[in-house]
C-alpha cells in the first residue's frame, strides 16, 4: 500500500511513526487527491472539503483535527481589527479552513469576500489585503512576527458550533482491508513517541514553544466527534451554506 501524508509540520509525528511500515508519499493535500484519483497511490489524507466534493471513499482512520484551538489556522492583519465588512486574502491551500471561516463570519453577521492570493505567507498576502487567512507551517511562523492575530479558526468554529474542527481525512478509491487500516491505526497510536523528533526537526523554522503546544493539539484518531463534523460539513455544503 502507498499512503499519502500531507507535507506539512502537523503530519511529521505520523510520518515518522509509519515510514518503516508502509510506503509513504509526502505531498500537498491537493496532489494526494489527484494521485488517488489517478491510481498513483492507494489512499491518503486530503482536505475535508475537497474530499466531500469528490467521489472518493472515506476510510475511517488517520485524519487531522483538534479539539478546539488549532493555532495553525489563523486570521491575521497588520493593524486592522474585525469589521462589519471584510476582504480577506486566502490561498489555494485553505479550502477547508476558508469554509470554516465563512461559517463563522456568517454567524457573526460579518460581510466578507475571499480574494485568492498566489502567496501562502502572512507577509506577502498582507501586502495585497487588509486581512490574511494563513494555515499550516506559514501560520506557525506568524507567531514570531508582530501581526494582529484576530482569530484561531479552529477555536471559533468549535465555540460556535460545538464541533471539533477537522481539516483532512483519509480517502481512497477503494476500501482498504483490515490489515492496512490496522497499520495506519498503529502508526497513529505510536505517533506520540515521535513528537520530540518532530520538534527537533522543525525548531529552526518555528519557535519551540509553539511546536510543543501545536503537537499537543493535533489529533490523528478517527472517532465519533470527527464523524459528527464530517456530517455537519457535508450537510452544509449540500445546503449551500
Amino acid at each position: 500500500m502507498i499512503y499519502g501524508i500531507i507535507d506539512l509540520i502537523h503530519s511529521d509525528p505520523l510520518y515518522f511513526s509509519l515510514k518503516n511500515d508502509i510506503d509513504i508519499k509526502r505531498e500537498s493535500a491537493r496532489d494526494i487527491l489527484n494521485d488517488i484519483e489517478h491510481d498513483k497511490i492507494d489512499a491518503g489524507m486530503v482536505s475535508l472539503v475537497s474530499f466531500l466534493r469528490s467521489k472518493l471513499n472515506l476510510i475511517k482512520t488517520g485524519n487531522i483535527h483538534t479539539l478546539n484551538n488549532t493555532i495553525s489556522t489563523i486570521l491575521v492583519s497588520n493593524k486592522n481589527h474585525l469589521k462589519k465588512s471584510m476582504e480577506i486574502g486566502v490561498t489555494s491551500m485553505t479550502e477547508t479552513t476558508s469554509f470554516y471561516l465563512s461559517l463563522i463570519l456568517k454567524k457573526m453577521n460579518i460581510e466578507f469576500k475571499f480574494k485568492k492570493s498566489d502567496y501562502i505567507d502572512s507577509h506577502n498576502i498582507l501586502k495585497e489585503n487588509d486581512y490574511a487567512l494563513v494555515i499550516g507551517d506559514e501560520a506557525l511562523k506568524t507567531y514570531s512576527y508582530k501581526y494582529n492575530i484576530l482569530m484561531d479558526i479552529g477555536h471559533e468554529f468549535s465555540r460556535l458550533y460545538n464541533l471539533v474542527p477537522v481539516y483532512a481525512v483519509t480517502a481512497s478509491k477503494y476500501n482498504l482491508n483490515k490489515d492496512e487500516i490496522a497499520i495506519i491505526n498503529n502508526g497513529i497510536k505510536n505517533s506520540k513517541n515521535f513528537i520530540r523528533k518532530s520538534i527537533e526537526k522543525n525548531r529552526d523554522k518555528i519557535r519551540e514553544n509553539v511546536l510543543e503546544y501545536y503537537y499537543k493539539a493535533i489529533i490523528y484518531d478517527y472517532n465519533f466527534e470527527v464523524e459528527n463534523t464530517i456530517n455537519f460539513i457535508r450537510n452544509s455544503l449540500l445546503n449551500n451554506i
Side-chain angles (χ1 to χ4, degrees):
M1 176 177 66
I2 303 175
Y3 186 60
I5 292 182
I6 298 170
D7 59 350
L8 291 174
I9 284 173
H10 60 49
S11 295
D12 282 353
L14 183 61
Y15 166 72
F16 288 131
S17 182
L18 280 173
K19 70 184 185 74
N20 293 324
D21 298 319
I22 56 174
D23 292 328
I24 292 174
K25 190 171 184 181
R26 291 203 76 177
E27 53 190 353
S28 71
R30 177 170 290 183
D31 287 339
I32 291 172
L33 177 66
N34 184 68
D35 281 353
I36 294 170
E37 291 178 334
H38 290 84
D39 296 315
K40 293 181 179 180
I41 62 176
D42 301 292
M45 286 197 195
V46 303
S47 158
L48 174 58
V49 168
S50 294
F51 162 73
L52 291 172
R53 288 174 172 157
S54 75
K55 295 181 180 180
L56 298 178
N57 294 320
L58 174 68
I59 309 298
K60 296 183 178 182
T61 182
N63 63 90
I64 305 294
H65 77 277
T66 65
L67 294 180
N68 41 63
N69 292 350
T70 301
I71 85 167
S72 66
T73 56
I74 53 176
L75 180 66
V76 301
S77 73
N78 277 314
K79 298 179 181 179
N80 291 286
H81 297 284
L82 295 178
K83 296 180 179 179
K84 292 183 177 180
S85 179
M86 301 168 62
E87 188 171 275
I88 302 166
V90 301
T91 78
S92 61
M93 296 173 60
T94 60
E95 184 177 23
T96 295
T97 307
S98 294
F99 189 73
Y100 284 143
L101 181 56
S102 70
L103 294 174
I104 292 164
L105 295 178
K106 288 173 183 177
K107 197 89 164 179
M108 297 173 69
N109 293 317
I110 292 176
E111 295 182 4
F112 63 92
K113 179 180 179 181
F114 291 146
K115 183 179 176 184
K116 188 67 69 69
S117 174
D118 293 328
Y119 298 103
I120 60 173
D121 62 291
S122 302
H123 179 70
N124 283 301
I125 297 175
L126 289 173
K127 285 182 178 179
E128 305 171 332
N129 306 276
D130 290 332
Y131 302 93
L133 177 63
V134 287
I135 70 164
D137 301 7
E138 293 301 327
L140 297 177
K141 292 176 185 177
T142 299
Y143 291 94
S144 297
Y145 305 107
K146 294 182 179 179
Y147 295 113
N148 284 347
I149 298 177
L150 304 175
M151 187 185 298
D152 179 317
I153 309 305
H155 172 77
E156 289 301 317
F157 174 76
S158 176
R159 183 180 68 84
L160 291 172
Y161 291 93
N162 197 30
L163 292 165
V164 301
V166 179
Y167 301 100
V169 296
T170 293
S172 176
K173 264 190 175 181
Y174 316 101
N175 291 319
L176 301 186
N177 63 48
K178 291 182 179 179
D179 290 339
E180 291 169 328
I181 293 174
I183 291 172
I184 299 171
N185 286 340
N186 191 55
I188 292 168
K189 182 179 178 181
N190 293 328
S191 63
K192 292 180 181 179
N193 297 325
F194 294 91
I195 287 177
R196 175 45 53 183
K197 182 175 182 178
S198 300
I199 291 172
E200 291 172 356
K201 170 182 176 285
N202 295 302
R203 63 185 177 187
D204 289 340
K205 298 182 291 183
I206 312 293
R207 283 167 31 194
E208 187 165 344
N209 65 323
V210 172
L211 289 169
E212 289 173 347
Y213 184 91
Y214 188 49
Y215 284 128
K216 289 179 182 178
I218 295 295
I219 305 171
Y220 306 126
D221 304 79
Y222 191 95
N223 55 36
F224 75 94
E225 292 179 308
V226 170
E227 194 154 293
N228 286 343
T229 298
I230 293 172
N231 290 334
F232 173 80
I233 298 302
R234 178 184 287 112
N235 290 334
S236 298
L237 289 169
L238 289 173
N239 293 317
N240 295 314
I241 295 179

